[in-house]
Amino acid sequence: MKRVWACCAAVSLALLACGDDSSSGSNGNHVSAGSNRVGLQMASKCLDNGLGVLYKKAGSDDLDKAYLVEDSTGNNQILVPELNDYCDIMADFKSKRSGDTLEIWFDLENAAVTNCMCIKDHLFSIKSSDADAKYFKYSGDVFAVTSEPAPERPEIEEPTIPDAPEFDESAPHQEVTDVIGQCDATPGVNEDLLSEKFRLVDGWSDFSEKNSDEKSTPIARTHVEGENVVLVFEASFDCDKKVESVNVYPSNDTLYAKPETSVIESVKLAPGEGCGCYTRSAFALKNEGAYADAKYMVFGNHMEYVYTLKPGIEK
């Protein structure tokens, strides 16, 4: 997975692109590329049952609608409800205005995206000069921009994520320092790094699968090396934190990995600023006993993601 750094709001993920390059075409139509601030907010969690506002009637040639709205400070936004996209994206977004069409896109090769897809409401921050656009284009889809009231979504109760079990330090466990877990973990810096050996061995689509309910579930890939087994998976990290070690506690058929982090002093964030990434991580364990027989892994202090352990795929 390619990775970039991005500023993150506490609840929703805000993605920004900067730079300004605009001109007028010979026919008088406004043409611009690289607006001075393009942002995307994932305005909802993945939706199992939406309002159905984007489903066209059979045989209809009408374009789906994108809604021109304002945020709490009066800035212009484009709302596209129930848009099928990556579950999370970290990327630099670019925009182009061609006549009455505003297009926004990002370069997938230089982005960090999840390998799961789902339906979410999208909010794109735009310049006031683009508020008169009649059409909006994103990921190859074209929408008719309207100023009519946007459909209201009923309140969705936030699911409660249970905490992972706590373990006494005297309980049997492995403490491992052969671990990679940080945003700036660039392969190739040191050939002896665990990340260099294992972080890129599995392919793009090897870290999730659909269960019987057609929902995507995460996978941690296992690679045996001598007496050790390396667990490779994808997780989110704070930009200014680094995983120094992991305490792994076996319980029944599950490994509970508790990371210990330290602050990366070279990463300076403004007060109140959040920053995160979603990237490949890995750590090595002694491949013995309950650790070798485990079927699942939980990374962190919550049960938000339960990884299924499966053999890795060498490339």
Side-chain angles (χ1 to χ4, degrees), residues 280-313:
R280 199 72 54 86
S281 182
F283 62 84
L285 288 169
K286 288 293 183 183
N287 192 26
E288 57 189 17
Y291 306 95
D293 297 333
K295 297 179 180 178
Y296 306 98
M297 187 266 290
V298 174
F299 186 82
N301 295 317
H302 304 285
M303 300 288 289
E304 185 172 10
Y305 300 110
V306 180
Y307 297 85
T308 300
L309 301 182
K310 291 198 171 185
I313 301 172

PDB file of all heavy atoms in Angstrom, residues 280-313:
ATOM      1  N   ARG A 280       0.669  -0.839   6.314  1.00  0.00           N
ATOM      2  CA  ARG A 280       1.074  -2.217   6.607  1.00  0.00           C
ATOM      3  C   ARG A 280       1.903  -2.247   7.890  1.00  0.00           C
ATOM      4  O   ARG A 280       2.755  -1.392   8.115  1.00  0.00           O
ATOM      5  CB  ARG A 280       1.886  -2.736   5.431  1.00  0.00           C
ATOM      6  CG  ARG A 280       2.021  -4.241   5.331  1.00  0.00           C
ATOM      7  CD  ARG A 280       0.753  -4.934   4.912  1.00  0.00           C
ATOM      8  NE  ARG A 280       0.149  -4.463   3.677  1.00  0.00           N
ATOM      9  CZ  ARG A 280       0.470  -4.885   2.472  1.00  0.00           C
ATOM     10  NH1 ARG A 280       1.439  -5.774   2.307  1.00  0.00           N
ATOM     11  NH2 ARG A 280      -0.185  -4.443   1.415  1.00  0.00           N
ATOM     12  N   SER A 281       1.655  -3.231   8.721  1.00  0.00           N
ATOM     13  CA  SER A 281       2.398  -3.410   9.958  1.00  0.00           C
ATOM     14  C   SER A 281       2.791  -4.872  10.083  1.00  0.00           C
ATOM     15  O   SER A 281       2.248  -5.731   9.388  1.00  0.00           O
ATOM     16  CB  SER A 281       1.555  -2.980  11.161  1.00  0.00           C
ATOM     17  OG  SER A 281       2.271  -3.108  12.365  1.00  0.00           O
ATOM     18  N   ALA A 282       3.754  -5.158  10.962  1.00  0.00           N
ATOM     19  CA  ALA A 282       4.205  -6.539  11.128  1.00  0.00           C
ATOM     20  C   ALA A 282       4.945  -6.689  12.455  1.00  0.00           C
ATOM     21  O   ALA A 282       5.531  -5.733  12.965  1.00  0.00           O
ATOM     22  CB  ALA A 282       5.117  -6.949   9.972  1.00  0.00           C
ATOM     23  N   PHE A 283       4.892  -7.894  13.005  1.00  0.00           N
ATOM     24  CA  PHE A 283       5.750  -8.219  14.142  1.00  0.00           C
ATOM     25  C   PHE A 283       6.014  -9.714  14.133  1.00  0.00           C
ATOM     26  O   PHE A 283       5.271 -10.505  13.540  1.00  0.00           O
ATOM     27  CB  PHE A 283       5.156  -7.753  15.484  1.00  0.00           C
ATOM     28  CG  PHE A 283       3.851  -8.370  15.851  1.00  0.00           C
ATOM     29  CD1 PHE A 283       3.787  -9.600  16.486  1.00  0.00           C
ATOM     30  CD2 PHE A 283       2.660  -7.700  15.585  1.00  0.00           C
ATOM     31  CE1 PHE A 283       2.581 -10.164  16.846  1.00  0.00           C
ATOM     32  CE2 PHE A 283       1.438  -8.254  15.942  1.00  0.00           C
ATOM     33  CZ  PHE A 283       1.403  -9.489  16.573  1.00  0.00           C
ATOM     34  N   ALA A 284       7.096 -10.114  14.808  1.00  0.00           N
ATOM     35  CA  ALA A 284       7.546 -11.509  14.794  1.00  0.00           C
ATOM     36  C   ALA A 284       7.346 -12.142  16.161  1.00  0.00           C
ATOM     37  O   ALA A 284       7.580 -11.519  17.199  1.00  0.00           O
ATOM     38  CB  ALA A 284       9.015 -11.577  14.387  1.00  0.00           C
ATOM     39  N   LEU A 285       6.911 -13.409  16.150  1.00  0.00           N
ATOM     40  CA  LEU A 285       6.705 -14.184  17.366  1.00  0.00           C
ATOM     41  C   LEU A 285       7.458 -15.503  17.284  1.00  0.00           C
ATOM     42  O   LEU A 285       7.725 -15.999  16.191  1.00  0.00           O
ATOM     43  CB  LEU A 285       5.216 -14.517  17.540  1.00  0.00           C
ATOM     44  CG  LEU A 285       4.237 -13.421  17.938  1.00  0.00           C
ATOM     45  CD1 LEU A 285       2.815 -13.948  17.785  1.00  0.00           C
ATOM     46  CD2 LEU A 285       4.493 -12.977  19.367  1.00  0.00           C
ATOM     47  N   LYS A 286       7.760 -16.076  18.454  1.00  0.00           N
ATOM     48  CA  LYS A 286       8.232 -17.445  18.481  1.00  0.00           C
ATOM     49  C   LYS A 286       7.065 -18.348  18.083  1.00  0.00           C
ATOM     50  O   LYS A 286       5.991 -18.287  18.670  1.00  0.00           O
ATOM     51  CB  LYS A 286       8.739 -17.817  19.876  1.00  0.00           C
ATOM     52  CG  LYS A 286      10.062 -17.164  20.253  1.00  0.00           C
ATOM     53  CD  LYS A 286      11.198 -17.693  19.370  1.00  0.00           C
ATOM     54  CE  LYS A 286      12.528 -17.095  19.794  1.00  0.00           C
ATOM     55  NZ  LYS A 286      13.631 -17.548  18.901  1.00  0.00           N
ATOM     56  N   ASN A 287       7.279 -19.175  17.090  1.00  0.00           N
ATOM     57  CA  ASN A 287       6.208 -19.996  16.528  1.00  0.00           C
ATOM     58  C   ASN A 287       6.086 -21.295  17.313  1.00  0.00           C
ATOM     59  O   ASN A 287       6.570 -22.352  16.886  1.00  0.00           O
ATOM     60  CB  ASN A 287       6.494 -20.275  15.052  1.00  0.00           C
ATOM     61  CG  ASN A 287       5.301 -20.866  14.336  1.00  0.00           C
ATOM     62  OD1 ASN A 287       4.168 -20.653  14.736  1.00  0.00           O
ATOM     63  ND2 ASN A 287       5.558 -21.602  13.267  1.00  0.00           N
ATOM     64  N   GLU A 288       5.413 -21.198  18.475  1.00  0.00           N
ATOM     65  CA  GLU A 288       5.343 -22.361  19.349  1.00  0.00           C
ATOM     66  C   GLU A 288       4.044 -22.346  20.148  1.00  0.00           C
ATOM     67  O   GLU A 288       3.439 -21.292  20.378  1.00  0.00           O
ATOM     68  CB  GLU A 288       6.536 -22.366  20.314  1.00  0.00           C
ATOM     69  CG  GLU A 288       6.624 -21.106  21.158  1.00  0.00           C
ATOM     70  CD  GLU A 288       7.906 -21.004  21.949  1.00  0.00           C
ATOM     71  OE1 GLU A 288       8.861 -21.730  21.623  1.00  0.00           O
ATOM     72  OE2 GLU A 288       7.950 -20.200  22.897  1.00  0.00           O
ATOM     73  N   GLY A 289       3.605 -23.519  20.536  1.00  0.00           N
ATOM     74  CA  GLY A 289       2.461 -23.661  21.426  1.00  0.00           C
ATOM     75  C   GLY A 289       1.213 -22.938  20.962  1.00  0.00           C
ATOM     76  O   GLY A 289       0.800 -23.028  19.802  1.00  0.00           O
ATOM     77  N   ALA A 290       0.595 -22.188  21.890  1.00  0.00           N
ATOM     78  CA  ALA A 290      -0.655 -21.483  21.609  1.00  0.00           C
ATOM     79  C   ALA A 290      -0.485 -20.436  20.519  1.00  0.00           C
ATOM     80  O   ALA A 290      -1.434 -20.113  19.799  1.00  0.00           O
ATOM     81  CB  ALA A 290      -1.177 -20.823  22.888  1.00  0.00           C
ATOM     82  N   TYR A 291       0.718 -19.894  20.365  1.00  0.00           N
ATOM     83  CA  TYR A 291       0.967 -18.879  19.334  1.00  0.00           C
ATOM     84  C   TYR A 291       0.914 -19.508  17.944  1.00  0.00           C
ATOM     85  O   TYR A 291       0.442 -18.881  16.987  1.00  0.00           O
ATOM     86  CB  TYR A 291       2.323 -18.220  19.570  1.00  0.00           C
ATOM     87  CG  TYR A 291       2.463 -17.650  20.962  1.00  0.00           C
ATOM     88  CD1 TYR A 291       3.067 -18.393  21.984  1.00  0.00           C
ATOM     89  CD2 TYR A 291       1.978 -16.385  21.265  1.00  0.00           C
ATOM     90  CE1 TYR A 291       3.185 -17.889  23.262  1.00  0.00           C
ATOM     91  CE2 TYR A 291       2.097 -15.860  22.547  1.00  0.00           C
ATOM     92  CZ  TYR A 291       2.694 -16.620  23.544  1.00  0.00           C
ATOM     93  OH  TYR A 291       2.799 -16.108  24.811  1.00  0.00           O
ATOM     94  N   ALA A 292       1.393 -20.722  17.823  1.00  0.00           N
ATOM     95  CA  ALA A 292       1.371 -21.403  16.529  1.00  0.00           C
ATOM     96  C   ALA A 292      -0.024 -21.908  16.182  1.00  0.00           C
ATOM     97  O   ALA A 292      -0.363 -22.038  15.003  1.00  0.00           O
ATOM     98  CB  ALA A 292       2.363 -22.570  16.532  1.00  0.00           C
ATOM     99  N   ASP A 293      -0.857 -22.165  17.208  1.00  0.00           N
ATOM    100  CA  ASP A 293      -2.178 -22.738  16.974  1.00  0.00           C
ATOM    101  C   ASP A 293      -3.278 -21.690  16.865  1.00  0.00           C
ATOM    102  O   ASP A 293      -4.427 -22.032  16.571  1.00  0.00           O
ATOM    103  CB  ASP A 293      -2.533 -23.700  18.115  1.00  0.00           C
ATOM    104  CG  ASP A 293      -1.580 -24.884  18.191  1.00  0.00           C
ATOM    105  OD1 ASP A 293      -1.011 -25.242  17.131  1.00  0.00           O
ATOM    106  OD2 ASP A 293      -1.389 -25.417  19.301  1.00  0.00           O
ATOM    107  N   ALA A 294      -2.960 -20.422  17.100  1.00  0.00           N
ATOM    108  CA  ALA A 294      -3.991 -19.373  17.123  1.00  0.00           C
ATOM    109  C   ALA A 294      -4.647 -19.209  15.755  1.00  0.00           C
ATOM    110  O   ALA A 294      -4.028 -19.414  14.709  1.00  0.00           O
ATOM    111  CB  ALA A 294      -3.375 -18.053  17.573  1.00  0.00           C
ATOM    112  N   LYS A 295      -5.917 -18.814  15.776  1.00  0.00           N
ATOM    113  CA  LYS A 295      -6.677 -18.593  14.546  1.00  0.00           C
ATOM    114  C   LYS A 295      -7.010 -17.119  14.317  1.00  0.00           C
ATOM    115  O   LYS A 295      -7.325 -16.716  13.199  1.00  0.00           O
ATOM    116  CB  LYS A 295      -7.978 -19.398  14.591  1.00  0.00           C
ATOM    117  CG  LYS A 295      -7.781 -20.904  14.651  1.00  0.00           C
ATOM    118  CD  LYS A 295      -9.122 -21.632  14.713  1.00  0.00           C
ATOM    119  CE  LYS A 295      -8.928 -23.139  14.770  1.00  0.00           C
ATOM    120  NZ  LYS A 295     -10.236 -23.845  14.868  1.00  0.00           N
ATOM    121  N   TYR A 296      -6.946 -16.320  15.409  1.00  0.00           N
ATOM    122  CA  TYR A 296      -7.345 -14.921  15.306  1.00  0.00           C
ATOM    123  C   TYR A 296      -6.340 -14.040  16.049  1.00  0.00           C
ATOM    124  O   TYR A 296      -5.570 -14.511  16.891  1.00  0.00           O
ATOM    125  CB  TYR A 296      -8.745 -14.699  15.885  1.00  0.00           C
ATOM    126  CG  TYR A 296      -9.797 -15.594  15.285  1.00  0.00           C
ATOM    127  CD1 TYR A 296     -10.196 -16.761  15.950  1.00  0.00           C
ATOM    128  CD2 TYR A 296     -10.382 -15.296  14.055  1.00  0.00           C
ATOM    129  CE1 TYR A 296     -11.154 -17.602  15.408  1.00  0.00           C
ATOM    130  CE2 TYR A 296     -11.337 -16.126  13.508  1.00  0.00           C
ATOM    131  CZ  TYR A 296     -11.725 -17.271  14.185  1.00  0.00           C
ATOM    132  OH  TYR A 296     -12.662 -18.098  13.635  1.00  0.00           O
ATOM    133  N   MET A 297      -6.378 -12.735  15.734  1.00  0.00           N
ATOM    134  CA  MET A 297      -5.514 -11.765  16.396  1.00  0.00           C
ATOM    135  C   MET A 297      -6.254 -10.448  16.563  1.00  0.00           C
ATOM    136  O   MET A 297      -6.962  -9.992  15.656  1.00  0.00           O
ATOM    137  CB  MET A 297      -4.231 -11.550  15.587  1.00  0.00           C
ATOM    138  CG  MET A 297      -3.176 -10.681  16.292  1.00  0.00           C
ATOM    139  SD  MET A 297      -3.247  -8.920  15.875  1.00  0.00           S
ATOM    140  CE  MET A 297      -2.689  -8.910  14.174  1.00  0.00           C
ATOM    141  N   VAL A 298      -6.133  -9.843  17.749  1.00  0.00           N
ATOM    142  CA  VAL A 298      -6.661  -8.506  18.021  1.00  0.00           C
ATOM    143  C   VAL A 298      -5.469  -7.604  18.304  1.00  0.00           C
ATOM    144  O   VAL A 298      -4.637  -7.915  19.161  1.00  0.00           O
ATOM    145  CB  VAL A 298      -7.626  -8.511  19.224  1.00  0.00           C
ATOM    146  CG1 VAL A 298      -8.042  -7.081  19.582  1.00  0.00           C
ATOM    147  CG2 VAL A 298      -8.851  -9.364  18.916  1.00  0.00           C
ATOM    148  N   PHE A 299      -5.379  -6.488  17.575  1.00  0.00           N
ATOM    149  CA  PHE A 299      -4.254  -5.563  17.748  1.00  0.00           C
ATOM    150  C   PHE A 299      -4.784  -4.283  18.391  1.00  0.00           C
ATOM    151  O   PHE A 299      -5.591  -3.573  17.802  1.00  0.00           O
ATOM    152  CB  PHE A 299      -3.607  -5.257  16.404  1.00  0.00           C
ATOM    153  CG  PHE A 299      -2.349  -4.438  16.494  1.00  0.00           C
ATOM    154  CD1 PHE A 299      -1.135  -5.041  16.789  1.00  0.00           C
ATOM    155  CD2 PHE A 299      -2.378  -3.066  16.287  1.00  0.00           C
ATOM    156  CE1 PHE A 299       0.032  -4.296  16.876  1.00  0.00           C
ATOM    157  CE2 PHE A 299      -1.219  -2.304  16.368  1.00  0.00           C
ATOM    158  CZ  PHE A 299      -0.017  -2.923  16.669  1.00  0.00           C
ATOM    159  N   GLY A 300      -4.334  -3.997  19.609  1.00  0.00           N
ATOM    160  CA  GLY A 300      -4.799  -2.814  20.319  1.00  0.00           C
ATOM    161  C   GLY A 300      -5.684  -3.178  21.490  1.00  0.00           C
ATOM    162  O   GLY A 300      -5.820  -4.348  21.869  1.00  0.00           O
ATOM    163  N   ASN A 301      -6.323  -2.148  22.062  1.00  0.00           N
ATOM    164  CA  ASN A 301      -7.094  -2.339  23.289  1.00  0.00           C
ATOM    165  C   ASN A 301      -8.585  -2.482  23.052  1.00  0.00           C
ATOM    166  O   ASN A 301      -9.366  -2.527  24.009  1.00  0.00           O
ATOM    167  CB  ASN A 301      -6.836  -1.166  24.238  1.00  0.00           C
ATOM    168  CG  ASN A 301      -5.388  -1.118  24.706  1.00  0.00           C
ATOM    169  OD1 ASN A 301      -4.815  -2.149  25.029  1.00  0.00           O
ATOM    170  ND2 ASN A 301      -4.806   0.061  24.728  1.00  0.00           N
ATOM    171  N   HIS A 302      -9.013  -2.508  21.786  1.00  0.00           N
ATOM    172  CA  HIS A 302     -10.433  -2.626  21.486  1.00  0.00           C
ATOM    173  C   HIS A 302     -10.651  -3.766  20.494  1.00  0.00           C
ATOM    174  O   HIS A 302      -9.744  -4.193  19.792  1.00  0.00           O
ATOM    175  CB  HIS A 302     -10.977  -1.311  20.919  1.00  0.00           C
ATOM    176  CG  HIS A 302     -10.734  -0.135  21.809  1.00  0.00           C
ATOM    177  ND1 HIS A 302     -11.449   0.094  22.965  1.00  0.00           N
ATOM    178  CD2 HIS A 302      -9.831   0.879  21.735  1.00  0.00           C
ATOM    179  CE1 HIS A 302     -11.009   1.184  23.560  1.00  0.00           C
ATOM    180  NE2 HIS A 302     -10.032   1.685  22.824  1.00  0.00           N
ATOM    181  N   MET A 303     -11.897  -4.207  20.411  1.00  0.00           N
ATOM    182  CA  MET A 303     -12.250  -5.331  19.549  1.00  0.00           C
ATOM    183  C   MET A 303     -12.820  -4.839  18.217  1.00  0.00           C
ATOM    184  O   MET A 303     -13.596  -5.548  17.576  1.00  0.00           O
ATOM    185  CB  MET A 303     -13.275  -6.221  20.254  1.00  0.00           C
ATOM    186  CG  MET A 303     -12.803  -6.801  21.567  1.00  0.00           C
ATOM    187  SD  MET A 303     -11.564  -8.094  21.348  1.00  0.00           S
ATOM    188  CE  MET A 303     -12.576  -9.404  20.682  1.00  0.00           C
ATOM    189  N   GLU A 304     -12.422  -3.659  17.787  1.00  0.00           N
ATOM    190  CA  GLU A 304     -12.966  -3.112  16.542  1.00  0.00           C
ATOM    191  C   GLU A 304     -12.607  -3.982  15.348  1.00  0.00           C
ATOM    192  O   GLU A 304     -13.411  -4.193  14.446  1.00  0.00           O
ATOM    193  CB  GLU A 304     -12.449  -1.685  16.323  1.00  0.00           C
ATOM    194  CG  GLU A 304     -13.052  -1.008  15.120  1.00  0.00           C
ATOM    195  CD  GLU A 304     -12.672   0.457  15.051  1.00  0.00           C
ATOM    196  OE1 GLU A 304     -11.802   0.905  15.823  1.00  0.00           O
ATOM    197  OE2 GLU A 304     -13.266   1.165  14.216  1.00  0.00           O
ATOM    198  N   TYR A 305     -11.369  -4.490  15.327  1.00  0.00           N
ATOM    199  CA  TYR A 305     -10.938  -5.364  14.252  1.00  0.00           C
ATOM    200  C   TYR A 305     -10.423  -6.671  14.834  1.00  0.00           C
ATOM    201  O   TYR A 305      -9.499  -6.671  15.653  1.00  0.00           O
ATOM    202  CB  TYR A 305      -9.837  -4.716  13.405  1.00  0.00           C
ATOM    203  CG  TYR A 305     -10.244  -3.428  12.759  1.00  0.00           C
ATOM    204  CD1 TYR A 305      -9.709  -2.215  13.174  1.00  0.00           C
ATOM    205  CD2 TYR A 305     -11.177  -3.409  11.726  1.00  0.00           C
ATOM    206  CE1 TYR A 305     -10.088  -1.031  12.574  1.00  0.00           C
ATOM    207  CE2 TYR A 305     -11.558  -2.228  11.120  1.00  0.00           C
ATOM    208  CZ  TYR A 305     -11.011  -1.038  11.556  1.00  0.00           C
ATOM    209  OH  TYR A 305     -11.397   0.136  10.970  1.00  0.00           O
ATOM    210  N   VAL A 306     -11.019  -7.781  14.433  1.00  0.00           N
ATOM    211  CA  VAL A 306     -10.536  -9.108  14.801  1.00  0.00           C
ATOM    212  C   VAL A 306      -9.991  -9.734  13.522  1.00  0.00           C
ATOM    213  O   VAL A 306     -10.742 -10.049  12.596  1.00  0.00           O
ATOM    214  CB  VAL A 306     -11.654  -9.975  15.401  1.00  0.00           C
ATOM    215  CG1 VAL A 306     -11.107 -11.350  15.763  1.00  0.00           C
ATOM    216  CG2 VAL A 306     -12.250  -9.298  16.631  1.00  0.00           C
ATOM    217  N   TYR A 307      -8.690  -9.871  13.468  1.00  0.00           N
ATOM    218  CA  TYR A 307      -8.020 -10.371  12.271  1.00  0.00           C
ATOM    219  C   TYR A 307      -8.048 -11.900  12.251  1.00  0.00           C
ATOM    220  O   TYR A 307      -7.724 -12.551  13.250  1.00  0.00           O
ATOM    221  CB  TYR A 307      -6.569  -9.906  12.232  1.00  0.00           C
ATOM    222  CG  TYR A 307      -6.377  -8.420  12.140  1.00  0.00           C
ATOM    223  CD1 TYR A 307      -6.375  -7.630  13.290  1.00  0.00           C
ATOM    224  CD2 TYR A 307      -6.164  -7.794  10.922  1.00  0.00           C
ATOM    225  CE1 TYR A 307      -6.179  -6.267  13.219  1.00  0.00           C
ATOM    226  CE2 TYR A 307      -5.971  -6.419  10.829  1.00  0.00           C
ATOM    227  CZ  TYR A 307      -5.978  -5.654  11.995  1.00  0.00           C
ATOM    228  OH  TYR A 307      -5.802  -4.301  11.917  1.00  0.00           O
ATOM    229  N   THR A 308      -8.400 -12.470  11.106  1.00  0.00           N
ATOM    230  CA  THR A 308      -8.276 -13.905  10.900  1.00  0.00           C
ATOM    231  C   THR A 308      -6.858 -14.212  10.427  1.00  0.00           C
ATOM    232  O   THR A 308      -6.367 -13.575   9.493  1.00  0.00           O
ATOM    233  CB  THR A 308      -9.296 -14.398   9.858  1.00  0.00           C
ATOM    234  OG1 THR A 308     -10.620 -14.104  10.311  1.00  0.00           O
ATOM    235  CG2 THR A 308      -9.155 -15.899   9.648  1.00  0.00           C
ATOM    236  N   LEU A 309      -6.194 -15.156  11.054  1.00  0.00           N
ATOM    237  CA  LEU A 309      -4.832 -15.501  10.672  1.00  0.00           C
ATOM    238  C   LEU A 309      -4.845 -16.491   9.521  1.00  0.00           C
ATOM    239  O   LEU A 309      -5.485 -17.543   9.594  1.00  0.00           O
ATOM    240  CB  LEU A 309      -4.080 -16.114  11.867  1.00  0.00           C
ATOM    241  CG  LEU A 309      -3.970 -15.239  13.124  1.00  0.00           C
ATOM    242  CD1 LEU A 309      -3.172 -15.953  14.196  1.00  0.00           C
ATOM    243  CD2 LEU A 309      -3.336 -13.894  12.792  1.00  0.00           C
ATOM    244  N   LYS A 310      -4.129 -16.131   8.446  1.00  0.00           N
ATOM    245  CA  LYS A 310      -4.038 -17.004   7.283  1.00  0.00           C
ATOM    246  C   LYS A 310      -2.617 -16.980   6.738  1.00  0.00           C
ATOM    247  O   LYS A 310      -1.929 -15.957   6.824  1.00  0.00           O
ATOM    248  CB  LYS A 310      -5.021 -16.563   6.185  1.00  0.00           C
ATOM    249  CG  LYS A 310      -6.475 -16.799   6.556  1.00  0.00           C
ATOM    250  CD  LYS A 310      -7.356 -16.783   5.327  1.00  0.00           C
ATOM    251  CE  LYS A 310      -8.770 -17.241   5.669  1.00  0.00           C
ATOM    252  NZ  LYS A 310      -9.621 -17.345   4.468  1.00  0.00           N
ATOM    253  N   PRO A 311      -2.153 -18.099   6.144  1.00  0.00           N
ATOM    254  CA  PRO A 311      -0.784 -18.118   5.603  1.00  0.00           C
ATOM    255  C   PRO A 311      -0.587 -17.019   4.563  1.00  0.00           C
ATOM    256  O   PRO A 311      -1.481 -16.724   3.762  1.00  0.00           O
ATOM    257  CB  PRO A 311      -0.693 -19.513   4.957  1.00  0.00           C
ATOM    258  CG  PRO A 311      -1.700 -20.325   5.691  1.00  0.00           C
ATOM    259  CD  PRO A 311      -2.836 -19.392   6.023  1.00  0.00           C
ATOM    260  N   GLY A 312       0.594 -16.411   4.603  1.00  0.00           N
ATOM    261  CA  GLY A 312       0.911 -15.342   3.662  1.00  0.00           C
ATOM    262  C   GLY A 312       1.148 -15.854   2.255  1.00  0.00           C
ATOM    263  O   GLY A 312       1.319 -17.051   2.032  1.00  0.00           O
ATOM    264  N   ILE A 313       1.146 -14.915   1.330  1.00  0.00           N
ATOM    265  CA  ILE A 313       1.331 -15.246  -0.079  1.00  0.00           C
ATOM    266  C   ILE A 313       2.621 -14.596  -0.559  1.00  0.00           C
ATOM    267  O   ILE A 313       2.718 -13.368  -0.615  1.00  0.00           O
ATOM    268  CB  ILE A 313       0.148 -14.735  -0.916  1.00  0.00           C
ATOM    269  CG1 ILE A 313      -1.173 -15.350  -0.413  1.00  0.00           C
ATOM    270  CG2 ILE A 313       0.342 -15.073  -2.393  1.00  0.00           C
ATOM    271  CD1 ILE A 313      -2.402 -14.764  -1.051  1.00  0.00           C
TER     272      ILE A 313
END
